[in-house]
Amino acid sequence: MTAPFASLSQFRAVLQALPGADSTAIAAAQERNIQLTKPPGALGRLEDLAIWYAGWRGTGKPSLDAPQVIVFAGNHGVTARGVSAFPSEVTVQMVANFKAGGAAINQLAKAFGARMDVHALDLDQPTADFTAAPAMTEAEVVAALACGWQAVDPSADLLVVGEMGIGNTTCAAAMACALFGGEPGEWTGRGTGVDDRGLALKTQVVAEGVALHGGTDPLEVLRCLGGREIAAMAGAIARAHALRIPVILDGFICTAAAAVLAQAAPGALDHCVAGHASAEAAHRALLSKLDKAPLLELGLRLGEGSGAALAIGVLKGAIACHSGMATFAEAGVAAG
Amino acid sequence: MTAPFASLSQFRAVLQALPGADSTAIAAAQERNIQLTKPPGALGRLEDLAIWYAGWRGTGKPSLDAPQVIVFAGNHGVTARGVSAFPSEVTVQMVANFKAGGAAINQLAKAFGARMDVHALDLDQPTADFTAAPAMTEAEVVAALACGWQAVDPSADLLVVGEMGIGNTTCAAAMACALFGGEPGEWTGRGTGVDDRGLALKTQVVAEGVALHGGTDPLEVLRCLGGREIAAMAGAIARAHALRIPVILDGFICTAAAAVLAQAAPGALDHCVAGHASAEAAHRALLSKLDKAPLLELGLRLGEGSGAALAIGVLKGAIACHSGMATFAEAGVAAG
């Protein structure tokens, strides 16, 4: 479908009209959960996950059969400042790798039965260097949001969004700092692996960007400090909410995209769970601002949606237990 | 095969002769890992897991296709002291539930493509109350070890062992206290859900058991304070080591079984990874004694092998990335 917005103000209105979860389905899932053959609460967070998922899918006994992974790619003018350990050419090379099935996210999507799509957004047209000008015009950011919005398969029952974009941890750090305040150094990490000197430079670049574009509203933060793949992730997460498709958030950059939505409209991320806490230290701080507890913490710092894709397994396990287990009555087990 | 031991001293000799991992395969896996299309270390613990798994499977590019989950069940005389929130009858009822496919572990085994076997060990003959006598005779504990040894499928490429046995967190607490010292209260938790009064009683029972049987060697700790399903888990973990089949450890009771092996023979758990840290607080302490970092921490406290089975997904993801990803050379990606 065509995206139902042609400007940031229209996108904001879409966010403010997003639906909530189905409270009847939540109640049915809670009722079922207490009847399953296990001590109350013995499946820990798996129980909460299944009930949350049930609420978004609108049934007390849901299944998870059609997860979709979408990887968005974009290039960043701020790489001219030398903020990444890798050259920008790697973005297009990795897109080819995604399309050929050779990247980590391809293996994880396959391992967990997910459909995978790749959208490269104008890789030959990097965004503007945000230390000199807004990264994108309004038309550019709206086009990227619309790309994400349209990329979601309405028949999916779970969404993971990932990214590839040399330089984009710098964007995410600047966005987080502009959205939540604090010192640029608190939000800036090593990304794919810059050294101490690179980290100091990156922090300086983040500070310059925030000084130039901070203090504006969340959607302007996205436009001025973000990037095309980041806006596309935000658009896809919003569309999933509109479709009541639950989302597993990935790492720092994905979470920065999601944070824009949360700051623009309370409850915009109620359909999202945090897949993991990455090794990028600011990711944990950002999840904390969003009141999201990560499912996994395995030191990943790859992006691509990899940590979220790995967490599909946890969610699949939670739903398999919830919807597949016998009740005490069915199994003839004493309930204690 | 018939178990190659007919006494605890023969079992000890088996433990002391267990093989190590294949260092050539480890080197090959390490070499492959650094060539994969990702920044060095960006897959965090997934990289370590894949290399560890490669070492035990004897190939630098392993696959994980045939996981086996075995649930052992046993009954415990110590339940006469009122240490559990559930009656002993639940053990046999849950075995029927496992066989009918209705328990949590059935759903998780199915979700992660694992074969599942159930072994109920003399449920009509509970062990002796360890506050009055040794839980088992030497013939009984050796028979249980042999049951576990024989239950492992030599064609499996991963093993998860789980348990069901009303009262067995009391056994595990007593074993941990006898093996590692400390106060009985530090090792005693609420199990399936005893109240404060139940917890105080359980702690007292653990203290009595340790006072009566502590200070002996690890295999005697297993005999005097353990149970048939706990000994069977130990036997299965040892057999997996002999077959170089990697093991994912489950919760507190599984880890107590494993701890017996580690205390009896250094390196006996080198083929094991900790699947999760459970909500039973002493589990984390026990994992720390064994120098094992959990893969998951989701508040599970069910047993059955459930936490370990959930971690099969993480290991599958790790191996899928390691063995399926393209190298920089194959994908034409700049290595930075």
Side-chain angles (χ1 to χ4, degrees):
Chain A
M1 70 178 281
T2 306
F5 50 85
S7 67
L8 285 181
S9 67
Q10 288 177 355
F11 182 68
R12 187 190 320 275
V14 166
L15 293 181
Q16 288 165 347
L18 289 170
D22 181 334
S23 58
T24 305
I26 290 173
Q30 287 170 330
E31 179 61 25
R32 175 171 173 78
N33 181 56
I34 58 173
Q35 297 177 38
L36 299 175
T37 46
K38 59 177 181 50
L43 283 172
R45 274 194 81 185
L46 297 194
E47 299 184 19
D48 303 329
L49 275 175
I51 293 164
W52 162 82
Y53 185 83
W56 288 98
R57 297 312 293 157
T59 166
K61 197 174 168 179
S63 59
L64 198 181
D65 302 314
Q68 182 186 18
V69 171
I70 314 176
V71 181
F72 298 101
N75 271 323
H76 299 271
V78 74
T79 55
R81 297 289 305 270
V83 291
S84 178
F86 286 77
S88 278
E89 290 71 28
V90 167
T91 304
V92 71
Q93 291 165 354
M94 282 301 295
V95 166
N97 197 23
F98 297 139
K99 290 183 175 172
I105 188 61
N106 298 96
Q107 319 317 316
L108 293 167
K110 189 175 167 194
F112 297 108
R115 159 185 168 169
M116 182 172 146
D117 298 287
V118 183
H119 292 267
L121 290 94
D122 300 326
L123 297 188
D124 55 350
Q125 293 177 45
T127 55
D129 173 1
F130 67 57
T131 63
M136 294 173 278
T137 64
E138 178 158 347
E140 286 171 335
V141 72
V142 168
L145 285 164
C147 171
W149 182 276
Q150 291 162 338
V152 178
D153 177 356
S155 71
D157 54 21
L158 179 70
L159 178 66
V160 162
V161 289
E163 46 54 49
M164 175 71 217
I166 296 299
N168 66 10
T169 56
T170 304
C171 301
M175 289 170 63
C177 189
L179 290 170
F180 296 103
E183 294 301 316
E186 296 168 29
W187 295 107
T188 309
R190 293 183 189 274
T192 50
V194 294
D195 59 16
D196 287 350
R197 187 165 155 279
L199 181 61
L201 170 65
K202 193 170 165 181
T203 305
Q204 169 62 25
V205 167
V206 168
E208 290 177 32
V210 173
L212 190 59
H213 306 293
T216 57
D217 83 32
L219 297 181
E220 279 294 299
V221 166
L222 176 65
R223 182 179 76 83
C224 296
L225 295 166
R228 288 188 176 85
E229 82 283 32
I230 297 174
M233 282 192 286
I237 294 168
R239 177 75 185 289
H241 193 147
L243 293 166
R244 287 182 162 159
I245 297 172
V247 171
I248 305 181
L249 298 176
D250 191 41
F252 185 49
I253 299 140
C254 175
T255 306
V260 168
L261 306 180
Q263 294 297 93
L269 301 184
D270 288 352
H271 68 312
C272 298
V273 67
H276 75 131
S278 85
E280 189 81 357
H283 186 215
R284 178 167 286 281
L286 191 53
L287 288 174
S288 175
K289 293 286 186 189
L290 298 175
D291 200 22
K292 300 285 185 193
L295 292 173
L296 300 173
E297 188 170 356
L298 294 166
L300 276 67
R301 53 179 173 77
L302 179 60
E304 302 181 1
S306 54
L310 194 62
I312 294 174
V314 175
L315 190 55
K316 281 200 161 186
I319 293 159
C321 288
H322 179 84
S323 296
M325 283 176 72
T327 63
F328 282 109
E330 287 165 355
V333 174
Chain B
M1 71 177 281
T2 305
F5 50 86
S7 67
L8 286 181
S9 67
Q10 287 177 356
F11 182 69
R12 186 189 320 275
V14 166
L15 293 181
Q16 288 166 347
L18 290 170
D22 180 334
S23 58
T24 305
I26 291 173
Q30 287 171 329
E31 179 61 24
R32 175 169 174 77
N33 181 55
I34 58 175
Q35 297 177 38
L36 299 176
T37 46
K38 58 176 181 52
L43 282 173
R45 274 194 79 185
L46 298 193
E47 300 183 18
D48 302 328
L49 275 175
I51 293 164
W52 162 81
Y53 185 82
W56 288 99
R57 297 311 293 158
T59 165
K61 196 174 171 180
S63 59
L64 198 181
D65 303 314
Q68 182 186 20
V69 172
I70 314 176
V71 181
F72 298 102
N75 271 322
H76 298 272
V78 74
T79 55
R81 297 289 305 267
V83 292
S84 178
F86 286 77
S88 278
E89 290 71 30
V90 167
T91 304
V92 71
Q93 291 165 354
M94 283 299 297
V95 166
N97 197 24
F98 297 138
K99 290 184 175 172
I105 187 62
N106 298 97
Q107 319 316 316
L108 293 167
K110 190 175 165 192
F112 297 107
R115 158 185 170 170
M116 182 172 146
D117 298 287
V118 183
H119 292 266
L121 291 93
D122 300 326
L123 297 188
D124 56 349
Q125 293 178 43
T127 54
D129 172 1
F130 67 57
T131 63
M136 293 173 279
T137 64
E138 179 159 349
E140 287 171 334
V141 72
V142 168
L145 286 163
C147 171
W149 182 277
Q150 291 162 336
V152 178
D153 177 355
S155 70
D157 53 22
L158 179 70
L159 177 68
V160 162
V161 288
E163 45 55 47
M164 176 70 215
I166 296 300
N168 66 11
T169 55
T170 304
C171 302
M175 289 170 62
C177 189
L179 290 170
F180 296 104
E183 293 300 315
E186 295 168 28
W187 295 107
T188 309
R190 292 183 189 274
T192 50
V194 294
D195 59 17
D196 286 351
R197 187 165 155 279
L199 182 60
L201 171 64
K202 193 170 163 180
T203 305
Q204 170 62 26
V205 166
V206 168
E208 290 178 32
V210 173
L212 190 59
H213 306 293
T216 55
D217 83 33
L219 297 181
E220 279 294 299
V221 166
L222 176 65
R223 182 178 79 82
C224 296
L225 294 166
R228 288 188 176 85
E229 82 282 33
I230 298 174
M233 283 193 287
I237 294 167
R239 177 76 185 287
H241 193 146
L243 292 166
R244 285 181 164 161
I245 297 171
V247 171
I248 305 181
L249 297 176
D250 190 42
F252 185 47
I253 299 140
C254 175
T255 307
V260 168
L261 306 180
Q263 294 296 93
L269 301 184
D270 287 353
H271 68 311
C272 298
V273 67
H276 76 131
S278 85
E280 188 82 357
H283 186 214
R284 180 168 284 284
L286 192 53
L287 288 174
S288 175
K289 292 288 187 189
L290 298 175
D291 200 22
K292 299 285 185 194
L295 291 173
L296 301 172
E297 188 169 355
L298 294 166
L300 276 67
R301 52 178 173 77
L302 179 60
E304 303 180 2
S306 54
L310 194 63
I312 295 173
V314 174
L315 190 56
K316 280 198 163 187
I319 293 159
C321 289
H322 179 85
S323 296
M325 284 176 72
T327 62
F328 283 108
E330 287 165 354
V333 174

